[in-house]
Amino acid sequence: MTALPLGRVAIIGGGVEGWMTAAGLARATGGRASLRLVETGPGPRGALSTLPSLRSFHALLGLDEAALMAATQATFKLGTRFSGWTPGTSFCNAFGELGASLEGVGFHHYWTRLQQAGGAPPLDDFNLAAVMARSGRFSPPASDPRSPLATLAYGLHMDAGAYVAVLRDLATRRGVAVSHGAVGEVLRRETGDIAAVILAGGERIEADLFVDCTGAEARLIGSEPFEDWSSLLPANRSLRLRAEVRRDAPALTEIEAAAEGWRWRIPLRDGVESGLTYRQDLTDDETALKAARTGLPKHGLSDPEVTPLRNGRRTRSMAGNCVAIGTSAGVVEAMDAADLHLVQSGVTRLIALFPRPGDAAVAAAEYNRLGEETLLRVRDLAITHYRLGQRTDGALWALGRNGPVPEPLAYRLAQFESRGRVVMYDEETFLEPHWIATLIGHGLLPRRYDPLADRMPLEKTRAMLERMRLIFRQTAESLPTHAAALAGLAP
Amino acid sequence: MTLNPIRKVLIVGGGTAGWMTAAALGKVLKSVQVTLVESDAIATVGVGEATIPPITTFNQLLGIDEAAFMKATQASFKLAIEFVDWTRPGSRYLHPFGSFGLDIEAIKFHQLWLKAQSLGSTQPLDDFNLSATAAKLGRFMLPSKDPGQVLSSLKYAFHFDAGLYARFLRSFAEARGVQRLEGRVVDVGLRGEDGFIRSVTLDDGRELEADLFIDCSGFRGLLIHQALDTPYEDWSHWLPNDRAVAMPCETAGDGLTPYTRATADTAGWRWRIPLQHRTGNGYVYASAHLSDDAAVARLRATLDGPPRGEPNFIRFQAGRRREMWVKNCVAIGLASGFLEPLESTSIHMIQSGITKLLALFPDRGFDPVETAEYNRLTILQTELIRDFIILHFKANERDEPYWQQAREMAIPESLQRKIDLFAARGRLFQSDYDLFAEPSWVAVMLGQNIRPRGYDPLVDSLDAQLVQDQMQRLAALVRQTAEALPSHQAFIARYCAASA
């Protein structure tokens, strides 16, 4: 067999991470690389909650969204509702714009001004996606830039196993070969490069580039040092189960804090996934199961699946001829649903920096620099939830609130707290509106606002905000329900 | 209401920085009293100035009519910078505004071009950029607003007379309530309790108080340096040029080119900036390698036409203030730092300072968070520009000792990483804070003869014939569009001709 110009790539590990990588590489290399994926274990269970960015990955792959949604029990996602992080409070972290900036001054400065002048309506009222989600509505973004619907964005809730099946079908049709078997042995050259992976069944997988998609086991990249973040993010375990319930849920992921940890609810078309992220030495699995089942019917529940969780990262995710994508490269507990985005960003970065003999070291340095920045910014948002929440009913929350705060986050929090300044760094996954909604939602109100907001008379500001709120409410109420939008999808 | 709003702002120094600041603050801050003090006895540095496209945003903020502004400042259009003799005598390349070609999916256009080159094509990358193609033909027209038209890809800036620009902005600012005072600052009074600036005293004894002071006094840094003693971070080990001599001349030679020219010379480089009424020229050099007399002689010898006026010498030191905003003083323009005008960034850095000041406008409490954020952003942006400038000197093949030293110098790690990555496979990754976008880096990397050893391997996944056809069509379209434009001269005559 003649060698293909881009060489041989072996993706070790199936699951969402492996198959996203396989589908992405198959599309990008267009038959000029020999791709093989090794399914090392059973496929994933569980549900996925994604960010709008994943839709551009699907577009790159040429996936039809309606068909994908039909195949994966998908529902739409307009954002995430956080509740109970401070007892009795909730807020929505919805996609899309927050209000509208006026005369070059950001919307939240006017909101803060109104707040200080005697009170303002909840910030959520000024995010159209949040208003829609709250009233059980859904609409895709409008293409007319003048429509209030133009700035909308949405993600998806999908069944993980079904999503893998779609990607697997796509990737194998594009020439990705599949092997099966657990990783037995990893053979290395003197340089540290991987020469071959021997599977439990004896099959020998040789490749020029190995992609580690073995998740937390990190079977290939595991020889690289691990930077542990357990002092920054206290949870270390999660449990999930599926309930068969048919009800019209809003287009939201629910993230609810309880004494034991934070509970998530992801609505699918014929069920809901519930899970709990917690800390093992504080909460045993049985207690966690009870917490995850809170509010679910007694019957029609799947067996719970418990997974250890280790927040942290490999100091290098590309090393020699090995690159780690997904949780083998780094883990941040996923209350912000960035997990698939991190996989996507790893795949995209691998495509952009596809290493070849002679330039592998230069490519790896840049791959690792960009990956580290991306992961740290996502981590900082996760820390923010713990830091700002005010629960007093569990040791987990005290640990999270009182842990160290990395300097870039401390700077960001101080800037916002003082004058509502939103600091953005390079390689941010979450943009300004997301940070603002999170910070204000958790009760971090700026002490001051941009003085340029004072150029508009207070009464005019109040009237403009009131009008905006009204338009958003009326717009939302004119839209179909989430259930109707799902029913209207042509498969 | 903000409890302690700024009531009075005093801008110290006129010139480009002072009047740009005064115009913007006068326009935006309606309830703040803005005063500018300057002395007719102090010459400003302003010579012929070249700008970059974001200047149009500043004009929009002010609501300036473009044709009127160009008429008042003897302005011409700028589509590119031509770099002559930089890699070695006889070499030349353009750094045009705008981007090259069209990316295909995740693959950058210049990668397609690199592959074509590797297969023997000699078609210049410039053929895929309308600003470059129009610049070479001496053509100009305002871009189309229809994104479907090739003409919408034209990006432009201006050349103008900085003295006239300051005068234009002065009448703009005064019409919006900015008060101008004539006088020389002889003393700066600091508050005993916290070292903030309380007032400045003029030579006639007047004492001017304000809440916020803007230091636009140029290299002297009357407030930020002389009064507040803010140290300067020296970058002359990377950028050793420390002198410039400027001398305008009659328009001749290539005439009213829609681009700036920067020509490398024995111990520095010469600029040529065509305006409507004359051509601005200057020689930026390192005094360690060239005497003032030799620099003037060389500049005279290379002028397009007869000189207009005597040589004007400027001294400087590349670098930046350690902080640009200290206590209640913000330094804007040369008082905050200096990078030689090789990429026409001086006016942009003023604009960027003003924009940040407005975004972080303080109150009288002067919370350190505003100061910290202003300084963080300014330093980040300035250092990215610095790296881009250093690139022009580092990658050269000239023989003179000045150029040998530049070639051998150690450069910032941030730049070395970019060069290594580009040299391998033409790849670039951008910071959100970099003023110069990827096409600019590509143009200068290639222009300075950093040829990638390979191209992005994913290019090979595209249908080669299809890509080649598409490239040919694109180049033809760019060429046709450029050829259909009026000449730069004719467009100016119609759009914004200044009185002689």
Side-chain angles (χ1 to χ4, degrees), chain B residues 387-427:
Chain B
D387 283 2
F388 189 55
I389 307 275
I390 295 173
L391 171 63
H392 298 68
F393 293 97
K394 172 71 179 173
N396 83 81
E397 296 159 22
R398 293 179 62 108
D399 295 332
E400 298 94 331
Y402 169 94
W403 290 98
Q404 281 178 24
Q405 275 181 24
R407 186 157 64 240
E408 284 154 16
M409 71 179 160
I411 55 175
E413 187 274 331
S414 45
L415 175 59
Q416 190 63 56
R417 192 182 70 223
K418 276 205 174 83
I419 293 178
D420 291 346
L421 201 60
F422 190 82
R425 283 185 187 271
R427 285 159 172 157

Side-chain angles (χ1 to χ4, degrees), chain A residues 5-6 27-30 32 60 113 116 349-359 362-363 365-366 369-370 411 414-415 418-419 421-428 447-452 454-455, chain B residues 1-3 5 27-31 105-107 358-363 366-370 372-374 376-377 417 420-422 424-425 427-433 453 456-458 460-462:
Chain A
L6 294 177
R27 176 70 185 80
T29 57
R32 300 181 64 84
L60 174 78
R113 183 178 180 210
Q116 292 182 358
R349 214 168 338 113
L350 176 59
I351 290 172
L353 280 162
F354 199 82
R356 296 295 295 141
D359 69 16
V362 174
E366 190 71 355
R369 183 182 75 85
L370 295 168
Y411 183 81
Q415 284 284 328
S418 175
R419 70 164 272 149
R421 172 80 183 169
V422 190
V423 173
M424 294 307 262
Y425 300 106
D426 276 335
E427 312 309 326
E428 295 275 9
R447 268 187 289 120
R448 299 171 300 140
Y449 54 84
D450 186 337
L452 297 190
D454 278 339
R455 289 176 305 167
Chain B
M1 286 291 279
T2 295
L3 285 179
K27 167 87 179 176
V28 174
L29 305 174
K30 292 178 182 92
S31 54
E105 290 173 6
I107 299 170
L358 287 172
L360 290 162
F361 204 73
D363 53 42
F366 284 97
D367 194 297
V369 304
E370 278 97 320
E373 181 68 348
Y374 184 94
R376 181 184 79 91
L377 290 171
R417 192 182 70 223
D420 291 346
L421 201 60
F422 190 82
R425 283 185 187 271
R427 285 159 172 157
L428 286 161
F429 291 84
Q430 282 258 234
S431 163
D432 293 343
Y433 296 98
R453 293 187 295 277
D456 183 343
L458 299 179
D460 289 332
S461 320
L462 302 172

Side-chain angles (χ1 to χ4, degrees), chain B residues 169-241:
Chain B
L169 291 178
R170 175 178 161 184
S171 54
F172 177 94
E174 287 181 326
R176 280 153 191 81
V178 174
Q179 188 191 7
R180 175 191 183 271
L181 298 178
E182 166 67 34
R184 210 159 53 82
V185 172
V186 292
D187 194 23
V188 180
L190 303 183
R191 299 202 300 232
E193 66 272 27
D194 55 10
F196 277 49
I197 299 175
R198 188 186 60 243
S199 64
V200 302
T201 309
L202 303 186
D203 47 0
D204 61 7
R206 271 180 297 176
E207 194 177 330
L208 310 175
E209 293 192 346
D211 302 320
L212 172 65
F213 292 83
I214 317 275
D215 189 346
C216 295
S217 65
F219 293 121
R220 282 162 299 160
L222 274 177
L223 308 183
I224 193 94
H225 172 54
Q226 293 183 13
L228 295 174
D229 208 18
T230 312
Y232 194 77
E233 189 177 306
D234 177 23
W235 290 340
S236 58
H237 50 295
W238 290 314
L239 297 167
N241 292 337

Side-chain angles (χ1 to χ4, degrees), chain A residues 371-388:
Chain A
E372 177 181 353
E373 287 295 310
T374 307
L375 194 63
L376 291 183
R377 299 292 81 82
V378 169
R379 178 200 68 183
D380 287 356
L381 183 60
I383 296 173
T384 302
H385 297 294
Y386 280 108
R387 182 81 192 165
L388 298 180

Side-chain angles (χ1 to χ4, degrees), chain A residues 127-149:
Chain A
N127 183 324
L128 179 56
V131 178
M132 282 164 57
R134 207 168 49 194
S135 54
R137 313 288 168 144
F138 179 79
S139 165
S143 52
D144 179 353
R146 290 162 305 177
S147 161
L149 299 173

Side-chain angles (χ1 to χ4, degrees), chain A residues 266-283:
Chain A
I266 298 174
L268 297 176
R269 288 205 206 178
D270 52 9
V272 59
E273 174 172 283
S274 180
L276 187 82
T277 298
Y278 54 103
R279 186 176 164 104
Q280 199 181 6
D281 60 355
L282 300 174
T283 302

Side-chain angles (χ1 to χ4, degrees), chain B residues 136 140 153 160 164 171 174 215 249 305 378 432 450 452 470 496:
Chain B
K136 284 179 183 170
F140 185 81
S153 72
F160 54 65
L164 296 177
S171 54
E174 287 181 326
D215 189 346
C249 72
T378 308
D432 293 343
I450 300 175
Q470 196 172 323
C496 57

